[in-house]
């Protein structure tokens, strides 16, 4: 009856009824909650995925924050500050969701800073012009939404619930990027060219955000069986292309793919080959900004040490005080 083959295989000593209970919850499309029994491999897969997702949110603040001081108007500045702040919030929800699986935030941050856990390779590209803020909103946040909407139905409750709120905010991010690009595209000749150049640079890396092709994706089949993942990488990538083509047309911008054509039979857009060598190079640390992003993150963490110390001292003081009050009662 189960759709989660070998779900309990990682906990060889787990009683059969626990495994059956887990399988039944997954098969019924219900949620696994933190106190429920779960296979070790399910827990470690989620920790890896949620930590990577949280890291992507906070590293993703960097490329755009780079433009806050140079935003062309107060309105644009306010929108961009709100967006970058939202990404910090997404990081918080996600670190919180990962903590429910028994992993500490210090441990996750330590792994990020030492390169033992990853973040999305898209954030290793530079933001060269103001139009990049628009292209990131439209394409990068757009790809994130396509990836994350199905995660709202993920089998792990805290992750699924965090995603509901994240997706609402991502849709504001996507729209502000689209509106920014639309303004530039319909502005002066130079502004149009700047918007086109940004789309030229961000299009292919955005398609890579869906991960390697299905036949090379190491974790996909098991994640789908556990209903962490609902659609394959290639399926989501195709969905994203199909959404973007008419939007690019409405923006008056061209997608940089000469092989893009409507396929009557499939009723989907065919698109050109992705340069997976570039993807693997960036993943290996050889992207244009890998070094810069991690260095900046480590520095921010070190410089924030006094805030964490002060918050911990404050919490300890109040805990001691409420303990004394409880004794007095
Ligand atoms: Fe986000
Ligand atoms: Fe976002």
């Amino acid at each position: 009856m189960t759709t989660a083959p070998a779900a309990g295989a990682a906990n060889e000593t787990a009683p059969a009824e626990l495994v059956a209970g887990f399988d039944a919850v997954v098969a019924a499309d219900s949620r696994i909650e933190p106190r429920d029994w779960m296979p070790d491999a399910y827990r470690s897969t989620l920790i890896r995925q949620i930590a990577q997702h949280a890291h992507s949110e906070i590293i993703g603040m960097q490329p755009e924050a780079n433009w806050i001081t140079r935003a062309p108007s107060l309105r644009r500045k306010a929108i961009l500050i709100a967006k970058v702040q939202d990404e910090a919030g997404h990081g918080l929800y996600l670190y919180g969701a990962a903590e429910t699986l028994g992993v500490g935030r210090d441990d996750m941050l330590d792994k990020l800073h030492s390169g033992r856990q990853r973040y999305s390779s898209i954030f290793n590209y530079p933001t060269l012009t103001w139009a990049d803020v628009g292209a990131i909103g439209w394409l990068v946040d757009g790809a994130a939404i396509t990836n994350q909407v199905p995660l709202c139905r993920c089998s792990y409750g805290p992750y699924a619930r965090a995603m509901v709120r994240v997706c609402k905010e991502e849709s504001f991010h996507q729209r502000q990027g689209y509106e920014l690009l639309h303004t530039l595209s319909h502005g002066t000749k130079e502004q149009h060219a700047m918007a086109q150049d940004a789309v030229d640079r961000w299009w292919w890396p955005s398609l890579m955000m869906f991960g390697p092709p299905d036949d090379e994706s190491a974790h996909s089949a098991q994640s789908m069986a556990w209903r962490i993942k609902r659609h394959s990488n290639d399926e989501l990538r195709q969905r994203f292309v199909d959404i973007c083509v008419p939007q690019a047309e409405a923006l008056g911008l061209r997608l940089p793919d000469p092989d893009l054509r409507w396929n009557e039979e499939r009723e989907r857009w065919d698109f050109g080959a992705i340069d997976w060598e570039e993807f693997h190079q960036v993943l290996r640390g050889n992207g244009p900004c890998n070094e810069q992003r991690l260095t900046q993150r480590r520095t921010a963490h070190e410089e924030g040490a006094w805030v964490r110390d002060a918050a911990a001292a404050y919490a300890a003081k109040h805990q001691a005080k409420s303990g004394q009050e409880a004794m007095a009662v």
Side-chain angles (χ1 to χ4, degrees):
M1 66 162 256
T2 177
T3 53
N11 309 41
E12 274 162 22
T13 54
E17 64 267 27
L18 289 179
V19 177
F22 170 84
D23 287 350
V25 170
V26 171
D29 251 342
S30 292
R31 301 279 173 268
I32 300 291
E33 295 299 337
R35 286 185 193 152
D36 295 341
W37 180 88
M38 62 188 85
D40 292 342
Y42 177 82
R43 185 185 298 276
S44 58
T45 297
L46 277 168
I47 290 174
R48 181 180 47 77
Q49 179 171 337
I50 302 175
Q52 180 169 325
H53 194 162
H55 300 330
S56 303
E57 299 286 355
I58 62 166
I59 294 272
M61 295 166 73
Q62 292 185 31
E64 288 182 287
N66 194 23
W67 281 93
I68 289 175
T69 55
R70 291 173 289 168
S73 69
L74 185 59
R75 176 174 171 266
R76 292 290 181 203
K77 193 192 288 268
I79 292 171
L80 185 55
I81 290 173
K83 187 204 186 246
V84 172
Q85 193 168 291
D86 281 354
E87 305 300 5
H90 297 173
L92 278 178
Y93 310 152
L94 288 160
Y95 285 121
E99 281 172 324
T100 65
L101 291 157
V103 62
R105 194 170 303 196
D106 286 352
D107 181 44
M108 289 183 273
L109 286 172
D110 195 44
K111 288 193 169 108
L112 168 65
H113 298 152
S114 58
R116 283 174 294 152
Q117 273 176 353
R118 285 179 170 153
Y119 56 90
S120 175
S121 64
I122 191 82
F123 300 118
N124 292 312
Y125 290 88
T127 39
L128 302 180
T129 71
W130 170 251
D132 287 26
V133 171
I136 290 179
W138 178 42
L139 296 173
V140 177
D141 290 278
I145 295 170
T146 311
N147 253 328
Q148 290 168 10
V149 164
L151 285 173
C152 298
R153 295 187 296 126
C154 155
S155 60
Y156 188 59
Y159 192 27
R161 289 188 288 274
M163 279 303 108
V164 172
R165 178 144 177 199
V166 167
C167 283
K168 284 183 185 151
E169 292 174 352
E170 294 301 358
S171 88
F172 152 66
H173 300 172
Q174 194 269 353
R175 274 181 243 171
Q176 67 81 35
Y178 182 88
E179 194 256 350
L180 197 166
L181 280 182
H182 192 275
T183 305
L184 288 177
S185 175
H186 295 85
T188 64
K189 222 171 87 204
E190 289 78 12
Q191 285 172 324
H192 180 88
M194 184 165 76
Q196 183 61 60
D197 169 64
V199 169
D200 287 347
R201 284 181 288 105
W202 288 94
W203 173 248
W204 292 105
S206 301
L207 294 192
M208 295 175 198
M209 282 176 71
F210 296 91
D214 291 349
D215 45 8
E216 287 168 33
S217 178
H219 307 289
S220 273
Q222 184 60 81
S223 283
M224 286 184 54
W226 278 329
R227 301 202 177 169
I228 295 174
K229 220 175 147 142
R230 298 278 174 163
H231 308 279
S232 76
N233 296 353
D234 287 335
E235 250 176 275
L236 291 171
R237 192 171 5 251
Q238 178 71 59
R239 186 178 294 180
F240 178 67
V241 172
D242 293 342
I243 291 169
C244 286
V245 174
Q247 290 185 352
E249 208 169 304
L251 283 170
L253 296 169
R254 185 179 36 79
L255 294 174
D257 180 356
D259 296 324
L260 205 54
R261 31 192 85 76
W262 179 249
N263 184 321
E264 280 296 346
E265 213 170 295
R266 293 197 308 128
E267 299 198 327
R268 320 276 327 235
W269 287 90
D270 287 338
F271 53 97
I274 293 171
D275 180 0
W276 291 112
E277 182 45 32
E278 176 182 321
F279 175 74
H280 291 300
Q281 280 299 335
V282 178
L283 223 51
R284 267 183 233 125
N286 304 325
C289 300
N290 296 57
E291 182 93 35
Q292 183 189 333
R293 301 288 185 242
L294 265 186
T295 304
Q296 195 171 333
R297 174 91 271 289
R298 287 191 203 107
T299 309
H301 190 71
E302 281 158 25
E303 287 176 353
W306 70 272
V307 180
R308 291 190 297 280
D309 290 347
Y314 182 80
K317 193 171 101 183
H318 278 262
Q319 211 170 9
K321 207 170 147 198
S322 59
Q324 277 167 8
E325 277 163 12
M327 298 256 287
V329 173

